[in-house]
Amino acid sequence: MTQTTHRLAHLNVLISGASVAGPALALNLARYGARITVVEKAPALREGGFAVDFRGHVHRTVLTAMGIWDDVHAHQTRMGRQIVVDADGTPRVELPAEMMSGDVEILRGDLSRIMYERTKDAVEYVFGDSVATLTQTGGGVDVTFERSAPRRFDLVVGADGLHSRTRRLVFGDESRYLRFFGHYVAGFPLPNHLGLDHTGRIHSEPGRAMALGHSGGDPDRAGALLVFRSQQLTYDRRDVAAQKKILAERFAGMGWEAPTVLAALADTDDLYFDAIAQIHIDRLTSGRVALLGDAGYGATMGGMGTGTAMVAAYVLAGELALAGGDHRAAFAAYEDRIRDFAKNCQKRSANAGPFFAPPTERALRNRDRMYRALSSPLLTGLFKRLAEREATRIALPDYPAA
């Protein structure tokens, strides 16, 4: 083997988080021969989840370099049109697939699985555990875990999401960086009682919205998405019963399929619930610790967070390879390349809540009128190009071949 193959063989890296950003970085670093440990608090890979999409030549370049472009296409949702409906199910607006699903769309869980399968033989995955403390020294980072024995690593990367523990341990409390956007979102699987087939339905009332969709897999299962406008709430993120109670109260009396959806909500054991929010932090690295993906520049939905995380993982690994593992040079270059790119992608997510749940009847009618115009063949292409603009606003260097 050539020296290039082992360019980072001397580097021992801990990655916290095994959703998307973590396995993406693990895959890219493994290509350069680094020794990698990924720790994940969940007992196993999370299956399913929301659909995520990729747009434009930058995303394609990254997925191709990672060797997973074909795998992503093989597992794409092939989602069709999504239809905005009245309370009685009458269509109001049809949203073309190109508008909602990018060039290729895949379930988050399928994407994680693809990268895990590509790396599991070269990367140490530790499930059911998490970082407890981080202590930086001149020679590395001493890490203690909730369950495993303490270890030392050359570098630590926090890829542990919007509510990152790594960020809290190194950069301070979340309240300093989280910007709330006035809405909450929930998602969970449920029976496909509408018989949807690679399509979706969205029903909105002032301040709240409910969407049902089937994007592949089991034809008898669908996914529900609930969005509501709210002041910032205080609740325990580990208390699923309390979150269900909030949702039941917020969607009580809603029309369309709400009674059926709320009945399924009461029975589910697979609920995602969070604020629509963004992370804004001045720096992404501190010493030997770096933030990646939602931990550093997250947006709950609508901000191309997955695409941004994949690009950023590719850049971080590439800069480490260019620098021969010198984290000081690599981290500085990573910040310079990613900071503005990530901020531009975040801008889109500020509109996610109002899109699903306009605050008034008038705003709801205006939304439908705008999207009716944008869904015309002439303007759909323009919308697609505008959506791609942020996703392609970065120049990728020619990183060393792995």
Side-chain angles (χ1 to χ4, degrees):
M1 292 187 178
T2 66
Q3 186 176 4
T4 300
T5 303
H6 292 284
R7 185 179 296 271
L8 298 177
H10 61 287
L11 208 58
N12 186 18
V13 182
L14 173 67
I15 302 171
S16 177
S19 178
V20 168
L25 181 61
L27 193 158
N28 281 289
L29 286 176
R31 294 167 58 234
Y32 295 115
R35 291 169 289 141
I36 307 147
T37 299
V38 179
V39 61
E40 166 58 48
K41 65 181 179 180
L45 282 180
R46 294 182 173 94
E47 303 293 338
F50 293 128
V52 298
D53 61 64
F54 298 101
R55 301 170 182 267
H57 69 274
V58 171
H59 288 175
R60 177 167 186 153
T61 296
V62 168
L63 295 176
T64 300
M66 292 173 65
I68 62 173
W69 175 255
D70 290 339
D71 289 337
V72 169
H73 271 262
H75 290 82
Q76 66 180 304
T77 65
R78 303 187 187 279
M79 189 67 168
R81 290 176 173 264
Q82 301 192 49
I83 303 172
V84 179
V85 298
D86 283 328
D88 62 0
T90 302
R92 294 167 63 104
V93 186
E94 290 194 7
L95 305 176
E98 310 93 271
M99 184 181 293
M100 302 293 285
S101 303
D103 297 334
V104 60
E105 182 183 75
I106 184 172
L107 293 178
R108 180 182 292 269
D110 289 343
L111 179 61
S112 295
R113 175 66 61 181
I114 288 169
M115 294 187 290
Y116 171 76
E117 292 294 336
R118 286 293 186 102
T119 57
K120 65 180 182 181
D121 293 333
V123 172
E124 177 189 11
Y125 281 87
V126 180
F127 290 99
D129 204 353
S130 58
V131 172
T133 65
L134 297 169
T135 303
Q136 299 198 57
T137 69
V141 186
D142 293 324
V143 182
T144 65
F145 298 91
E146 296 293 341
R147 297 183 179 177
S148 304
R151 294 168 63 177
R152 169 170 282 200
F153 297 89
D154 298 314
L155 304 175
V156 173
V157 179
D160 41 353
L162 200 72
H163 306 291
S164 166
R165 177 180 286 187
T166 307
R167 186 184 61 235
R168 176 171 58 81
L169 290 172
V170 177
F171 296 87
D173 191 76
E174 175 180 296
S175 60
R176 298 167 57 183
Y177 310 115
L178 189 140
R179 187 176 300 175
F180 175 61
F181 278 84
H183 293 77
Y184 285 82
V185 60
F188 56 94
L190 77 174
N192 187 9
H193 67 282
L194 293 181
L196 301 173
D197 182 8
H198 294 83
T199 187
R201 301 290 184 270
I202 304 169
H203 175 63
S204 301
E205 296 178 359
R208 58 186 182 178
M210 185 173 286
L212 297 174
H214 172 268
S215 53
D218 187 347
D220 295 326
R221 303 294 291 172
L225 175 73
L226 280 62
V227 177
F228 66 90
R229 183 180 176 89
S230 174
Q231 298 294 320
Q232 196 158 8
L233 303 174
T234 300
Y235 65 95
D236 185 345
R237 287 191 292 110
R238 297 165 296 182
D239 190 342
V240 176
Q243 295 165 28
K244 288 183 178 182
K245 185 174 184 291
I246 291 170
L247 290 166
E249 291 173 349
R250 296 286 176 156
F251 286 87
M254 188 178 192
W256 191 49
E257 300 294 330
T260 303
V261 173
L262 292 179
L265 168 67
D267 292 336
T268 190
D269 57 1
D270 184 12
L271 175 66
Y272 170 86
F273 181 84
D274 209 338
I276 296 181
Q278 293 179 356
I279 293 296
H280 290 263
I281 189 168
D282 292 335
R283 55 201 176 109
L284 300 173
T285 65
S286 177
R288 293 174 175 269
V289 178
L291 300 178
L292 177 69
D294 285 355
Y297 29 84
T300 309
M301 60 188 298
M304 293 187 290
T306 300
T308 304
M310 299 291 283
V311 173
Y314 175 76
V315 168
L316 179 53
E319 295 297 343
L320 282 166
L322 276 179
D326 179 352
H327 68 278
R328 291 174 292 271
F331 282 5
Y334 163 67
E335 293 216 37
D336 286 344
R337 292 196 184 280
I338 290 300
R339 186 184 296 107
D340 289 343
F341 172 65
K343 287 181 178 179
N344 284 326
C345 291
Q346 277 185 322
K347 290 177 183 177
R348 287 170 46 88
S349 71
N351 297 320
F355 163 73
F356 280 101
T360 65
E361 284 284 359
R362 181 178 180 181
L364 199 158
R365 290 193 299 271
N366 287 339
R367 179 206 66 178
D368 290 353
R369 191 177 300 116
M370 179 182 66
Y371 278 92
R372 195 173 290 115
L374 287 174
S375 64
S376 67
L378 179 64
L379 292 182
T380 295
L382 173 62
F383 183 91
K384 184 174 183 290
R385 289 192 296 274
L386 291 174
E388 287 179 1
R389 185 172 58 184
E390 285 78 19
T392 58
R393 198 178 290 182
I394 184 173
L396 296 176
D398 292 326
Y399 290 123

